[in-house]
Amino acid sequence: MSDRITVEELSELMKKAAGITVSPQELTDRADAGFEELGIDSLGLLGIVGELENRHGMPMPADAERCKTPRKFLDLVNSTLLAGA
């Protein structure tokens, strides 16, 4: 289990938790696009956070579900995972 979440993993989580298909390449290209522009609403983001908590066995920061962009989300979640590792 990696202590970092990749764009590939985020892409997979978006599909699994929110039913939205966004390729890892598109996530990389649009890292600063809002989740809403990508089709992810707050409930979808909450599902992604819940899935990460289950996978990693640790709570994600409360701010994770309020992140507006993939880049901010990955930065926050990855810094939390690295601190907890």
Side-chain angles (χ1 to χ4, degrees), residues 16-68:
K16 182 176 181 182
I20 303 295
T21 302
V22 179
S23 72
Q25 185 61 53
E26 186 178 354
L27 274 179
T28 300
D29 294 346
R30 299 181 66 198
D32 295 312
F35 275 115
E36 288 181 3
E37 287 176 52
L38 298 169
I40 303 286
D41 61 10
S42 57
L43 206 56
L45 201 50
L46 200 58
I48 292 168
V49 170
E51 189 64 35
L52 285 171
E53 289 178 341
N54 290 340
R55 281 187 188 187
H56 294 276
M58 61 187 286
M60 292 294 120
D63 290 347
E65 64 203 51
R66 290 192 286 275
C67 286
K68 299 291 186 218

